[in-house]
Amino acid sequence: MSTISGIPTALALLPRAQAGDEQAMNHLLTGITPYVARLCRSVARGDGADATQEALFAIYRGLPTLREPAAFYGWVRAVTLREAVRTAKRAGDEVTHLRADAGQEANPLDVVHISDVLERLSTPHRQVLTLRAYGLNEEEMAQVLSLPVGTVRSRLHRARRRFREAWLPSAA
């Protein structure tokens, strides 16, 4: 079994968790919680803790249906983003806020400028840009946002154009 510092990796725990091993499920969910929480905080803002709880519960419920273990992290990301968007919509908050990953070396001033430009965009445009930044394609975004793919594509096109228009004056 693959381990890191004596703790089994998620892919090693996955078959046991799917078979009903409660200890494996607990270790698996504990291991992915920081990743899930980071995604939820970025999308659901102040409701990040609620979104994290909802996402972990959806992962727990849906784990037995996951057929391809190699797709685990992509599946977790998709479930998490879907639940974060739902939680934020239910709370009536504007959805999505892009944050630089802690592991990336980014110019702090650029992060402030990006956040400022995103804040000036409409909620639908901010949503598609944030979901794209998390690596979702148009079909995945359409599923998460419950929209037709054509609508997502047009929003993405307009959001990129508006972001560029807002970014260029601040780049000078």
Short mmCIF file of all heavy atoms in Angstrom, two decimals, residues 88-159:
data_model
loop_
_atom_site.label_atom_id
_atom_site.label_comp_id
_atom_site.label_asym_id
_atom_site.label_seq_id
_atom_site.Cartn_x
_atom_site.Cartn_y
_atom_site.Cartn_z
N ALA A 88 -23.45 28.72 -2.29
CA ALA A 88 -23.41 30.17 -2.43
C ALA A 88 -24.73 30.70 -2.99
O ALA A 88 -25.23 31.73 -2.54
CB ALA A 88 -22.23 30.58 -3.31
N LYS A 89 -25.29 29.99 -3.96
CA LYS A 89 -26.58 30.42 -4.52
C LYS A 89 -27.68 30.34 -3.46
O LYS A 89 -28.52 31.23 -3.37
CB LYS A 89 -26.96 29.55 -5.72
CG LYS A 89 -26.23 29.90 -6.98
CD LYS A 89 -26.71 29.03 -8.12
CE LYS A 89 -26.01 29.39 -9.41
NZ LYS A 89 -26.42 28.51 -10.53
N ARG A 90 -27.67 29.26 -2.68
CA ARG A 90 -28.68 29.08 -1.63
C ARG A 90 -28.57 30.20 -0.60
O ARG A 90 -29.57 30.67 -0.08
CB ARG A 90 -28.48 27.73 -0.96
CG ARG A 90 -29.66 27.25 -0.20
CD ARG A 90 -29.50 25.84 0.36
NE ARG A 90 -28.88 24.89 -0.55
CZ ARG A 90 -27.74 24.22 -0.30
NH1 ARG A 90 -27.10 24.39 0.82
NH2 ARG A 90 -27.26 23.39 -1.17
N ALA A 91 -27.37 30.64 -0.30
CA ALA A 91 -27.16 31.70 0.68
C ALA A 91 -27.44 33.08 0.09
O ALA A 91 -27.47 34.06 0.81
CB ALA A 91 -25.74 31.63 1.23
N GLY A 92 -27.60 33.12 -1.24
CA GLY A 92 -27.88 34.40 -1.88
C GLY A 92 -26.64 35.25 -2.09
O GLY A 92 -26.74 36.42 -2.41
N ASP A 93 -25.48 34.66 -1.92
CA ASP A 93 -24.24 35.40 -2.11
C ASP A 93 -23.84 35.39 -3.57
O ASP A 93 -24.23 34.54 -4.34
CB ASP A 93 -23.09 34.77 -1.30
CG ASP A 93 -23.30 34.89 0.19
OD1 ASP A 93 -24.10 35.76 0.60
OD2 ASP A 93 -22.67 34.13 0.93
N GLU A 94 -23.00 36.37 -3.91
CA GLU A 94 -22.39 36.33 -5.22
C GLU A 94 -21.41 35.16 -5.20
O GLU A 94 -20.70 34.94 -4.24
CB GLU A 94 -21.62 37.62 -5.50
CG GLU A 94 -22.52 38.79 -5.79
CD GLU A 94 -21.74 39.99 -6.25
OE1 GLU A 94 -20.54 39.85 -6.52
OE2 GLU A 94 -22.32 41.07 -6.30
N VAL A 95 -21.38 34.43 -6.28
CA VAL A 95 -20.54 33.24 -6.35
C VAL A 95 -19.21 33.58 -6.98
O VAL A 95 -19.14 34.37 -7.91
CB VAL A 95 -21.25 32.16 -7.18
CG1 VAL A 95 -20.40 30.92 -7.30
CG2 VAL A 95 -22.58 31.82 -6.55
N THR A 96 -18.19 33.00 -6.49
CA THR A 96 -16.84 32.94 -7.00
C THR A 96 -15.97 34.13 -6.63
O THR A 96 -16.37 35.27 -6.66
CB THR A 96 -16.76 32.76 -8.52
OG1 THR A 96 -17.21 33.91 -9.18
CG2 THR A 96 -17.53 31.54 -8.96
N HIS A 97 -14.80 33.77 -6.28
CA HIS A 97 -13.75 34.72 -5.99
C HIS A 97 -12.44 33.99 -6.21
O HIS A 97 -12.19 32.98 -5.58
CB HIS A 97 -13.84 35.19 -4.54
CG HIS A 97 -12.80 36.19 -4.17
ND1 HIS A 97 -12.73 37.42 -4.75
CD2 HIS A 97 -11.78 36.13 -3.30
CE1 HIS A 97 -11.71 38.09 -4.22
NE2 HIS A 97 -11.12 37.33 -3.35
N LEU A 98 -11.64 34.47 -7.11
CA LEU A 98 -10.40 33.79 -7.45
C LEU A 98 -9.30 34.21 -6.51
O LEU A 98 -9.08 35.40 -6.29
CB LEU A 98 -10.02 34.12 -8.90
CG LEU A 98 -8.82 33.42 -9.48
CD1 LEU A 98 -9.10 31.91 -9.52
CD2 LEU A 98 -8.54 33.93 -10.87
N ARG A 99 -8.62 33.23 -5.96
CA ARG A 99 -7.47 33.50 -5.10
C ARG A 99 -6.28 32.77 -5.64
O ARG A 99 -6.40 31.68 -6.16
CB ARG A 99 -7.73 33.00 -3.69
CG ARG A 99 -8.84 33.72 -3.00
CD ARG A 99 -8.99 33.23 -1.60
NE ARG A 99 -10.20 33.80 -1.05
CZ ARG A 99 -10.48 33.80 0.22
NH1 ARG A 99 -9.69 33.26 1.07
NH2 ARG A 99 -11.59 34.33 0.65
N ALA A 100 -5.12 33.35 -5.47
CA ALA A 100 -3.91 32.66 -5.89
C ALA A 100 -3.67 31.50 -4.95
O ALA A 100 -3.89 31.59 -3.75
CB ALA A 100 -2.72 33.61 -5.85
N ASP A 101 -3.25 30.36 -5.50
CA ASP A 101 -2.90 29.23 -4.66
C ASP A 101 -1.71 29.59 -3.81
O ASP A 101 -0.79 30.26 -4.25
CB ASP A 101 -2.57 28.00 -5.51
CG ASP A 101 -3.80 27.38 -6.12
OD1 ASP A 101 -4.90 27.63 -5.59
OD2 ASP A 101 -3.66 26.63 -7.11
N ALA A 102 -1.72 29.12 -2.56
CA ALA A 102 -0.64 29.43 -1.63
C ALA A 102 0.69 28.90 -2.13
O ALA A 102 1.73 29.47 -1.85
CB ALA A 102 -0.95 28.85 -0.26
N GLY A 103 0.69 27.82 -2.90
CA GLY A 103 1.92 27.22 -3.37
C GLY A 103 2.54 27.95 -4.54
O GLY A 103 3.69 27.71 -4.89
N GLN A 104 1.82 28.83 -5.19
CA GLN A 104 2.33 29.53 -6.35
C GLN A 104 3.09 30.78 -5.93
O GLN A 104 2.71 31.48 -5.01
CB GLN A 104 1.20 29.96 -7.28
CG GLN A 104 0.51 28.82 -7.97
CD GLN A 104 -0.59 29.32 -8.90
OE1 GLN A 104 -1.12 30.42 -8.71
NE2 GLN A 104 -0.92 28.53 -9.90
N GLU A 105 4.18 31.03 -6.67
CA GLU A 105 4.91 32.27 -6.46
C GLU A 105 4.26 33.32 -7.35
O GLU A 105 4.40 33.30 -8.56
CB GLU A 105 6.39 32.08 -6.84
CG GLU A 105 7.15 31.20 -5.88
CD GLU A 105 7.22 31.77 -4.47
OE1 GLU A 105 7.39 32.99 -4.32
OE2 GLU A 105 7.09 30.99 -3.53
N ALA A 106 3.52 34.21 -6.78
CA ALA A 106 2.83 35.24 -7.54
C ALA A 106 3.18 36.60 -6.96
O ALA A 106 3.42 36.73 -5.77
CB ALA A 106 1.32 35.03 -7.48
N ASN A 107 3.19 37.59 -7.84
CA ASN A 107 3.42 38.95 -7.41
C ASN A 107 2.17 39.38 -6.63
O ASN A 107 1.07 39.37 -7.18
CB ASN A 107 3.64 39.84 -8.63
CG ASN A 107 3.88 41.28 -8.27
OD1 ASN A 107 3.64 41.70 -7.14
ND2 ASN A 107 4.36 42.05 -9.23
N PRO A 108 2.33 39.75 -5.35
CA PRO A 108 1.15 40.11 -4.56
C PRO A 108 0.35 41.26 -5.18
O PRO A 108 -0.87 41.30 -5.05
CB PRO A 108 1.74 40.53 -3.21
CG PRO A 108 3.09 39.91 -3.16
CD PRO A 108 3.55 39.79 -4.58
N LEU A 109 1.03 42.16 -5.87
CA LEU A 109 0.34 43.27 -6.50
C LEU A 109 -0.55 42.77 -7.64
O LEU A 109 -1.67 43.26 -7.83
CB LEU A 109 1.35 44.29 -7.03
CG LEU A 109 0.83 45.67 -7.34
CD1 LEU A 109 0.06 46.25 -6.17
CD2 LEU A 109 1.98 46.58 -7.71
N ASP A 110 -0.08 41.76 -8.40
CA ASP A 110 -0.90 41.19 -9.47
C ASP A 110 -2.14 40.53 -8.89
O ASP A 110 -3.23 40.63 -9.46
CB ASP A 110 -0.11 40.15 -10.27
CG ASP A 110 0.87 40.80 -11.25
OD1 ASP A 110 0.73 42.01 -11.52
OD2 ASP A 110 1.76 40.08 -11.74
N VAL A 111 -2.00 39.84 -7.77
CA VAL A 111 -3.15 39.19 -7.14
C VAL A 111 -4.18 40.24 -6.75
O VAL A 111 -5.38 40.04 -6.96
CB VAL A 111 -2.70 38.36 -5.91
CG1 VAL A 111 -3.90 37.83 -5.15
CG2 VAL A 111 -1.79 37.23 -6.34
N VAL A 112 -3.74 41.37 -6.22
CA VAL A 112 -4.66 42.45 -5.85
C VAL A 112 -5.35 43.00 -7.09
O VAL A 112 -6.56 43.20 -7.09
CB VAL A 112 -3.90 43.57 -5.09
CG1 VAL A 112 -4.76 44.81 -4.92
CG2 VAL A 112 -3.41 43.06 -3.76
N HIS A 113 -4.57 43.21 -8.17
CA HIS A 113 -5.17 43.73 -9.41
C HIS A 113 -6.17 42.75 -10.00
O HIS A 113 -7.25 43.14 -10.45
CB HIS A 113 -4.09 44.06 -10.44
CG HIS A 113 -3.29 45.28 -10.11
ND1 HIS A 113 -3.84 46.53 -9.98
CD2 HIS A 113 -1.97 45.43 -9.88
CE1 HIS A 113 -2.91 47.40 -9.68
NE2 HIS A 113 -1.76 46.76 -9.61
N ILE A 114 -5.82 41.47 -10.02
CA ILE A 114 -6.73 40.45 -10.56
C ILE A 114 -8.01 40.42 -9.74
O ILE A 114 -9.12 40.40 -10.29
CB ILE A 114 -6.05 39.07 -10.60
CG1 ILE A 114 -4.95 39.07 -11.65
CG2 ILE A 114 -7.07 37.97 -10.87
CD1 ILE A 114 -4.04 37.86 -11.60
N SER A 115 -7.88 40.43 -8.42
CA SER A 115 -9.06 40.42 -7.56
C SER A 115 -9.92 41.66 -7.80
O SER A 115 -11.14 41.57 -7.85
CB SER A 115 -8.65 40.34 -6.09
OG SER A 115 -8.05 39.12 -5.82
N ASP A 116 -9.28 42.80 -7.98
CA ASP A 116 -10.01 44.04 -8.22
C ASP A 116 -10.77 43.98 -9.54
O ASP A 116 -11.94 44.34 -9.61
CB ASP A 116 -9.04 45.23 -8.22
CG ASP A 116 -9.75 46.54 -8.46
OD1 ASP A 116 -10.72 46.85 -7.72
OD2 ASP A 116 -9.35 47.28 -9.39
N VAL A 117 -10.11 43.49 -10.58
CA VAL A 117 -10.78 43.37 -11.88
C VAL A 117 -11.93 42.38 -11.80
O VAL A 117 -13.02 42.64 -12.31
CB VAL A 117 -9.76 42.97 -12.98
CG1 VAL A 117 -10.47 42.63 -14.27
CG2 VAL A 117 -8.76 44.10 -13.21
N LEU A 118 -11.73 41.26 -11.14
CA LEU A 118 -12.80 40.28 -11.00
C LEU A 118 -13.99 40.85 -10.24
O LEU A 118 -15.14 40.56 -10.57
CB LEU A 118 -12.30 39.01 -10.31
CG LEU A 118 -11.47 38.08 -11.18
CD1 LEU A 118 -10.86 36.97 -10.34
CD2 LEU A 118 -12.29 37.50 -12.31
N GLU A 119 -13.73 41.64 -9.21
CA GLU A 119 -14.81 42.24 -8.43
C GLU A 119 -15.66 43.18 -9.28
O GLU A 119 -16.85 43.35 -9.02
CB GLU A 119 -14.26 43.01 -7.23
CG GLU A 119 -13.71 42.14 -6.14
CD GLU A 119 -14.77 41.25 -5.50
OE1 GLU A 119 -15.91 41.70 -5.32
OE2 GLU A 119 -14.44 40.09 -5.21
N ARG A 120 -15.06 43.78 -10.30
CA ARG A 120 -15.79 44.71 -11.16
C ARG A 120 -16.62 44.00 -12.23
O ARG A 120 -17.47 44.62 -12.86
CB ARG A 120 -14.84 45.71 -11.80
CG ARG A 120 -14.28 46.70 -10.78
CD ARG A 120 -13.45 47.76 -11.43
NE ARG A 120 -12.07 47.28 -11.51
CZ ARG A 120 -11.19 47.65 -12.42
NH1 ARG A 120 -11.53 48.51 -13.35
NH2 ARG A 120 -9.97 47.18 -12.41
N LEU A 121 -16.37 42.71 -12.44
CA LEU A 121 -17.14 41.95 -13.43
C LEU A 121 -18.49 41.55 -12.84
O LEU A 121 -18.65 41.46 -11.63
CB LEU A 121 -16.37 40.69 -13.85
CG LEU A 121 -15.06 40.90 -14.59
CD1 LEU A 121 -14.41 39.54 -14.86
CD2 LEU A 121 -15.26 41.67 -15.88
N SER A 122 -19.42 41.24 -13.73
CA SER A 122 -20.71 40.75 -13.27
C SER A 122 -20.53 39.34 -12.69
O SER A 122 -19.57 38.65 -12.99
CB SER A 122 -21.71 40.70 -14.43
OG SER A 122 -21.31 39.70 -15.36
N THR A 123 -21.48 38.93 -11.86
CA THR A 123 -21.41 37.61 -11.23
C THR A 123 -21.31 36.48 -12.26
O THR A 123 -20.46 35.61 -12.10
CB THR A 123 -22.60 37.40 -10.29
OG1 THR A 123 -22.55 38.40 -9.26
CG2 THR A 123 -22.57 36.03 -9.65
N PRO A 124 -22.13 36.47 -13.31
CA PRO A 124 -22.01 35.38 -14.30
C PRO A 124 -20.63 35.32 -14.95
O PRO A 124 -20.09 34.24 -15.18
CB PRO A 124 -23.09 35.69 -15.33
CG PRO A 124 -24.08 36.53 -14.60
CD PRO A 124 -23.29 37.32 -13.62
N HIS A 125 -20.04 36.48 -15.23
CA HIS A 125 -18.71 36.49 -15.84
C HIS A 125 -17.64 36.03 -14.85
O HIS A 125 -16.71 35.30 -15.21
CB HIS A 125 -18.39 37.88 -16.38
CG HIS A 125 -19.20 38.24 -17.57
ND1 HIS A 125 -19.39 39.53 -17.99
CD2 HIS A 125 -19.93 37.46 -18.44
CE1 HIS A 125 -20.17 39.54 -19.07
NE2 HIS A 125 -20.51 38.30 -19.35
N ARG A 126 -17.77 36.46 -13.61
CA ARG A 126 -16.82 36.03 -12.57
C ARG A 126 -16.91 34.51 -12.35
O ARG A 126 -15.90 33.84 -12.17
CB ARG A 126 -17.11 36.80 -11.27
CG ARG A 126 -16.02 36.73 -10.27
CD ARG A 126 -16.17 37.72 -9.12
NE ARG A 126 -17.52 37.95 -8.65
CZ ARG A 126 -18.19 39.10 -8.84
NH1 ARG A 126 -17.66 40.10 -9.49
NH2 ARG A 126 -19.41 39.22 -8.35
N GLN A 127 -18.12 33.98 -12.42
CA GLN A 127 -18.31 32.54 -12.24
C GLN A 127 -17.55 31.75 -13.29
O GLN A 127 -16.79 30.83 -12.96
CB GLN A 127 -19.79 32.17 -12.32
CG GLN A 127 -20.60 32.58 -11.14
CD GLN A 127 -22.09 32.29 -11.36
OE1 GLN A 127 -22.55 32.11 -12.48
NE2 GLN A 127 -22.83 32.27 -10.27
N VAL A 128 -17.76 32.07 -14.56
CA VAL A 128 -17.13 31.27 -15.62
C VAL A 128 -15.61 31.42 -15.62
O VAL A 128 -14.90 30.45 -15.86
CB VAL A 128 -17.72 31.55 -17.02
CG1 VAL A 128 -19.17 31.11 -17.10
CG2 VAL A 128 -17.56 32.99 -17.44
N LEU A 129 -15.11 32.61 -15.33
CA LEU A 129 -13.65 32.78 -15.28
C LEU A 129 -13.03 32.00 -14.12
O LEU A 129 -11.97 31.39 -14.27
CB LEU A 129 -13.28 34.26 -15.18
CG LEU A 129 -13.47 35.08 -16.44
CD1 LEU A 129 -13.13 36.54 -16.18
CD2 LEU A 129 -12.64 34.54 -17.59
N THR A 130 -13.69 32.00 -12.99
CA THR A 130 -13.17 31.27 -11.84
C THR A 130 -13.21 29.77 -12.09
O THR A 130 -12.23 29.06 -11.80
CB THR A 130 -13.96 31.61 -10.57
OG1 THR A 130 -13.87 33.03 -10.35
CG2 THR A 130 -13.41 30.90 -9.36
N LEU A 131 -14.30 29.27 -12.62
CA LEU A 131 -14.38 27.84 -12.90
C LEU A 131 -13.36 27.43 -13.96
O LEU A 131 -12.77 26.36 -13.87
CB LEU A 131 -15.80 27.47 -13.33
CG LEU A 131 -16.87 27.60 -12.24
CD1 LEU A 131 -18.25 27.33 -12.81
CD2 LEU A 131 -16.57 26.69 -11.06
N ARG A 132 -13.11 28.30 -14.93
CA ARG A 132 -12.07 28.01 -15.94
C ARG A 132 -10.70 27.98 -15.28
O ARG A 132 -9.86 27.12 -15.59
CB ARG A 132 -12.11 29.05 -17.05
CG ARG A 132 -10.99 28.91 -18.04
CD ARG A 132 -11.00 27.61 -18.79
NE ARG A 132 -11.81 27.78 -19.96
CZ ARG A 132 -12.19 26.82 -20.76
NH1 ARG A 132 -11.83 25.58 -20.52
NH2 ARG A 132 -12.93 27.06 -21.80
N ALA A 133 -10.46 28.89 -14.34
CA ALA A 133 -9.18 28.91 -13.64
C ALA A 133 -8.95 27.62 -12.85
O ALA A 133 -7.81 27.20 -12.66
CB ALA A 133 -9.10 30.12 -12.70
N TYR A 134 -10.03 26.98 -12.43
CA TYR A 134 -9.92 25.70 -11.73
C TYR A 134 -9.84 24.52 -12.69
O TYR A 134 -9.85 23.38 -12.27
CB TYR A 134 -11.07 25.51 -10.75
CG TYR A 134 -10.85 26.27 -9.48
CD1 TYR A 134 -11.73 27.26 -9.08
CD2 TYR A 134 -9.76 26.01 -8.67
CE1 TYR A 134 -11.53 27.97 -7.91
CE2 TYR A 134 -9.54 26.70 -7.51
CZ TYR A 134 -10.43 27.69 -7.13
OH TYR A 134 -10.22 28.39 -5.98
N GLY A 135 -9.79 24.81 -13.99
CA GLY A 135 -9.55 23.76 -14.96
C GLY A 135 -10.78 23.10 -15.56
O GLY A 135 -10.65 22.11 -16.26
N LEU A 136 -11.96 23.64 -15.32
CA LEU A 136 -13.16 23.04 -15.89
C LEU A 136 -13.30 23.44 -17.35
O LEU A 136 -12.99 24.58 -17.73
CB LEU A 136 -14.41 23.48 -15.13
CG LEU A 136 -14.81 22.62 -13.93
CD1 LEU A 136 -13.78 22.74 -12.82
CD2 LEU A 136 -16.17 23.02 -13.43
N ASN A 137 -13.75 22.51 -18.19
CA ASN A 137 -14.03 22.85 -19.58
C ASN A 137 -15.47 23.36 -19.68
O ASN A 137 -16.19 23.40 -18.68
CB ASN A 137 -13.77 21.64 -20.50
CG ASN A 137 -14.65 20.46 -20.20
OD1 ASN A 137 -15.82 20.61 -19.81
ND2 ASN A 137 -14.13 19.26 -20.39
N GLU A 138 -15.88 23.72 -20.91
CA GLU A 138 -17.20 24.32 -21.06
C GLU A 138 -18.33 23.37 -20.64
O GLU A 138 -19.30 23.80 -20.02
CB GLU A 138 -17.44 24.77 -22.51
CG GLU A 138 -16.67 26.01 -22.91
CD GLU A 138 -15.29 25.67 -23.48
OE1 GLU A 138 -14.92 24.48 -23.52
OE2 GLU A 138 -14.58 26.62 -23.85
N GLU A 139 -18.19 22.10 -20.98
CA GLU A 139 -19.23 21.13 -20.62
C GLU A 139 -19.35 20.97 -19.11
O GLU A 139 -20.45 20.91 -18.56
CB GLU A 139 -18.94 19.77 -21.28
CG GLU A 139 -19.12 19.76 -22.79
CD GLU A 139 -17.94 20.35 -23.55
OE1 GLU A 139 -16.83 20.47 -22.97
OE2 GLU A 139 -18.13 20.70 -24.72
N GLU A 140 -18.20 20.92 -18.42
CA GLU A 140 -18.22 20.80 -16.96
C GLU A 140 -18.81 22.05 -16.31
O GLU A 140 -19.58 21.96 -15.35
CB GLU A 140 -16.80 20.54 -16.44
CG GLU A 140 -16.24 19.18 -16.82
CD GLU A 140 -14.76 19.05 -16.55
OE1 GLU A 140 -14.02 20.06 -16.63
OE2 GLU A 140 -14.33 17.92 -16.27
N MET A 141 -18.45 23.22 -16.86
CA MET A 141 -19.01 24.46 -16.32
C MET A 141 -20.52 24.49 -16.52
O MET A 141 -21.26 24.92 -15.63
CB MET A 141 -18.36 25.68 -16.98
CG MET A 141 -16.96 25.96 -16.52
SD MET A 141 -16.34 27.55 -17.11
CE MET A 141 -15.76 27.11 -18.72
N ALA A 142 -20.98 24.05 -17.68
CA ALA A 142 -22.41 24.03 -17.96
C ALA A 142 -23.14 23.13 -16.96
O ALA A 142 -24.21 23.48 -16.46
CB ALA A 142 -22.66 23.54 -19.39
N GLN A 143 -22.53 22.02 -16.63
CA GLN A 143 -23.15 21.10 -15.67
C GLN A 143 -23.18 21.72 -14.28
O GLN A 143 -24.19 21.67 -13.59
CB GLN A 143 -22.38 19.78 -15.65
CG GLN A 143 -23.01 18.74 -14.78
CD GLN A 143 -22.23 17.42 -14.82
OE1 GLN A 143 -21.12 17.36 -15.30
NE2 GLN A 143 -22.84 16.39 -14.28
N VAL A 144 -22.07 22.33 -13.86
CA VAL A 144 -21.99 22.93 -12.52
C VAL A 144 -22.97 24.10 -12.40
O VAL A 144 -23.64 24.25 -11.38
CB VAL A 144 -20.55 23.41 -12.22
CG1 VAL A 144 -20.50 24.32 -11.01
CG2 VAL A 144 -19.62 22.22 -12.02
N LEU A 145 -23.07 24.92 -13.44
CA LEU A 145 -23.92 26.11 -13.39
C LEU A 145 -25.35 25.85 -13.86
O LEU A 145 -26.18 26.77 -13.84
CB LEU A 145 -23.29 27.22 -14.24
CG LEU A 145 -21.93 27.73 -13.77
CD1 LEU A 145 -21.32 28.65 -14.80
CD2 LEU A 145 -22.05 28.42 -12.42
N SER A 146 -25.63 24.63 -14.29
CA SER A 146 -26.96 24.28 -14.81
C SER A 146 -27.38 25.19 -15.96
O SER A 146 -28.48 25.76 -15.97
CB SER A 146 -28.01 24.31 -13.69
OG SER A 146 -27.65 23.44 -12.66
N LEU A 147 -26.47 25.33 -16.93
CA LEU A 147 -26.71 26.17 -18.10
C LEU A 147 -26.40 25.39 -19.37
O LEU A 147 -25.64 24.43 -19.33
CB LEU A 147 -25.80 27.41 -18.07
CG LEU A 147 -26.00 28.41 -16.94
CD1 LEU A 147 -24.86 29.41 -16.93
CD2 LEU A 147 -27.32 29.12 -17.12
N PRO A 148 -26.96 25.82 -20.51
CA PRO A 148 -26.56 25.20 -21.77
C PRO A 148 -25.10 25.52 -22.08
O PRO A 148 -24.58 26.58 -21.70
CB PRO A 148 -27.48 25.85 -22.80
CG PRO A 148 -28.59 26.46 -22.03
CD PRO A 148 -28.05 26.77 -20.67
N VAL A 149 -24.44 24.63 -22.81
CA VAL A 149 -23.02 24.82 -23.14
C VAL A 149 -22.82 26.09 -23.96
O VAL A 149 -21.85 26.83 -23.74
CB VAL A 149 -22.47 23.58 -23.90
CG1 VAL A 149 -21.05 23.82 -24.37
CG2 VAL A 149 -22.54 22.35 -23.03
N GLY A 150 -23.75 26.39 -24.86
CA GLY A 150 -23.64 27.60 -25.67
C GLY A 150 -23.65 28.87 -24.82
O GLY A 150 -22.92 29.82 -25.11
N THR A 151 -24.46 28.87 -23.79
CA THR A 151 -24.52 30.02 -22.88
C THR A 151 -23.19 30.17 -22.15
O THR A 151 -22.68 31.29 -22.00
CB THR A 151 -25.67 29.86 -21.87
OG1 THR A 151 -26.89 29.73 -22.59
CG2 THR A 151 -25.75 31.03 -20.92
N VAL A 152 -22.63 29.07 -21.71
CA VAL A 152 -21.34 29.11 -21.01
C VAL A 152 -20.27 29.65 -21.94
O VAL A 152 -19.45 30.50 -21.55
CB VAL A 152 -20.96 27.72 -20.47
CG1 VAL A 152 -19.52 27.69 -20.00
CG2 VAL A 152 -21.90 27.32 -19.34
N ARG A 153 -20.26 29.19 -23.20
CA ARG A 153 -19.25 29.65 -24.16
C ARG A 153 -19.37 31.14 -24.41
O ARG A 153 -18.36 31.84 -24.46
CB ARG A 153 -19.37 28.87 -25.46
CG ARG A 153 -18.88 27.45 -25.33
CD ARG A 153 -18.95 26.70 -26.64
NE ARG A 153 -18.43 25.36 -26.44
CZ ARG A 153 -18.91 24.29 -27.02
NH1 ARG A 153 -19.92 24.39 -27.87
NH2 ARG A 153 -18.38 23.11 -26.78
N SER A 154 -20.59 31.64 -24.58
CA SER A 154 -20.75 33.07 -24.84
C SER A 154 -20.37 33.89 -23.61
O SER A 154 -19.73 34.94 -23.72
CB SER A 154 -22.16 33.39 -25.31
OG SER A 154 -23.11 33.13 -24.31
N ARG A 155 -20.73 33.40 -22.41
CA ARG A 155 -20.35 34.11 -21.19
C ARG A 155 -18.83 34.14 -21.03
O ARG A 155 -18.26 35.15 -20.64
CB ARG A 155 -20.96 33.45 -19.95
CG ARG A 155 -22.39 33.80 -19.74
CD ARG A 155 -22.89 33.24 -18.43
NE ARG A 155 -24.31 33.45 -18.29
CZ ARG A 155 -25.02 33.05 -17.26
NH1 ARG A 155 -24.45 32.40 -16.26
NH2 ARG A 155 -26.32 33.28 -17.21
N LEU A 156 -18.20 33.01 -21.34
CA LEU A 156 -16.74 32.94 -21.21
C LEU A 156 -16.08 33.91 -22.18
O LEU A 156 -15.14 34.62 -21.82
CB LEU A 156 -16.28 31.50 -21.46
CG LEU A 156 -14.84 31.17 -21.16
CD1 LEU A 156 -14.48 31.51 -19.71
CD2 LEU A 156 -14.56 29.70 -21.43
N HIS A 157 -16.57 33.96 -23.40
CA HIS A 157 -16.02 34.88 -24.40
C HIS A 157 -16.16 36.34 -23.94
O HIS A 157 -15.20 37.11 -23.95
CB HIS A 157 -16.72 34.68 -25.75
CG HIS A 157 -16.34 35.68 -26.78
ND1 HIS A 157 -15.14 35.65 -27.44
CD2 HIS A 157 -17.01 36.78 -27.24
CE1 HIS A 157 -15.07 36.68 -28.27
NE2 HIS A 157 -16.19 37.38 -28.17
N ARG A 158 -17.37 36.69 -23.49
CA ARG A 158 -17.61 38.07 -23.04
C ARG A 158 -16.83 38.38 -21.77
O ARG A 158 -16.33 39.49 -21.58
CB ARG A 158 -19.11 38.29 -22.81
CG ARG A 158 -19.89 38.37 -24.09
CD ARG A 158 -21.36 38.67 -23.85
NE ARG A 158 -22.10 38.64 -25.08
CZ ARG A 158 -22.93 37.65 -25.42
NH1 ARG A 158 -23.16 36.66 -24.58
NH2 ARG A 158 -23.56 37.68 -26.57
N ALA A 159 -16.73 37.40 -20.86
CA ALA A 159 -16.00 37.61 -19.61
C ALA A 159 -14.52 37.86 -19.88
O ALA A 159 -13.92 38.75 -19.27
CB ALA A 159 -16.17 36.40 -18.70
#
